Amino acid sequence: MNEPTLRNRIGDLTALLARVCVGAVFIAHGMAKTTDFAGTTAGFDAMGVPFPGFSAALAVAIEVGAGAALMIGLLLPFAGVLLAAMMGNAYYFAHVGDPLLGGYELLLVLGVASLALGFSGGRYALDTVLPWNRRRTRETVPVS
């Protein structure tokens, strides 16, 4: 088994740091929706989001649940895709036509970062110790 280089370890550590930070932002936004759930539902309704009550609950579940999964590195590809899809929906329902700056830059950064971290979240992730380990070591075949 090859020992990871210092560069690989630093990359894994920075991926962990990024996952924790991005996940914390999603969790904070999800929890904020719960403090005034009726207001969140009314806001979703005003934006034309279908089934606003259900959509608000789903938004909270995805932001908190997938945000936590991203932080600990559990089901990373699934969590990354869910969070990126949330940001795509937020853009569609609330920010179409807005400028990049002062409009949808946070959605863009969070969506792309969660997608990237979902598929390259580093070795310090719970996924790496579970049976479906995404980072299986390939056996090397000696060349004769």
Side-chain angles (χ1 to χ4, degrees):
M1 184 158 142
N2 295 337
E3 188 66 28
T5 64
L6 177 61
R7 183 180 172 128
N8 290 344
R9 288 181 185 162
I10 291 171
D12 291 333
L13 187 59
T14 56
L16 171 63
L17 178 62
R19 285 194 343 259
V20 168
C21 290
V22 171
V25 170
F26 275 109
I27 291 170
H29 280 262
M31 294 305 291
K33 287 175 177 62
T34 65
T35 60
D36 182 17
F37 191 75
T40 299
T41 301
F44 276 30
D45 190 32
M47 289 184 282
V49 177
F51 310 104
F54 173 77
S55 295
L58 184 60
V60 168
I62 290 173
E63 289 178 349
V64 173
L70 188 69
M71 289 178 82
I72 64 174
L74 178 64
L75 303 171
L76 280 174
F78 185 63
V81 167
L82 279 177
L83 293 169
M86 278 291 304
M87 295 301 94
N89 280 312
Y91 175 77
Y92 179 78
F93 285 106
H95 294 280
V96 167
D98 287 356
L100 174 63
L101 296 178
Y104 65 91
E105 75 275 4
L106 180 62
L107 305 175
L108 182 64
V109 170
L110 287 175
V112 171
S114 61
L115 192 59
L117 291 167
F119 287 96
S120 59
R123 259 187 224 121
Y124 304 134
L126 191 55
D127 278 352
T128 62
V129 298
L130 294 173
W132 56 82
N133 185 354
R134 300 180 317 108
R135 296 222 182 235
R136 294 192 193 276
T137 308
R138 293 182 186 172
E139 292 190 28
T140 57
V141 178
V143 178
S144 4

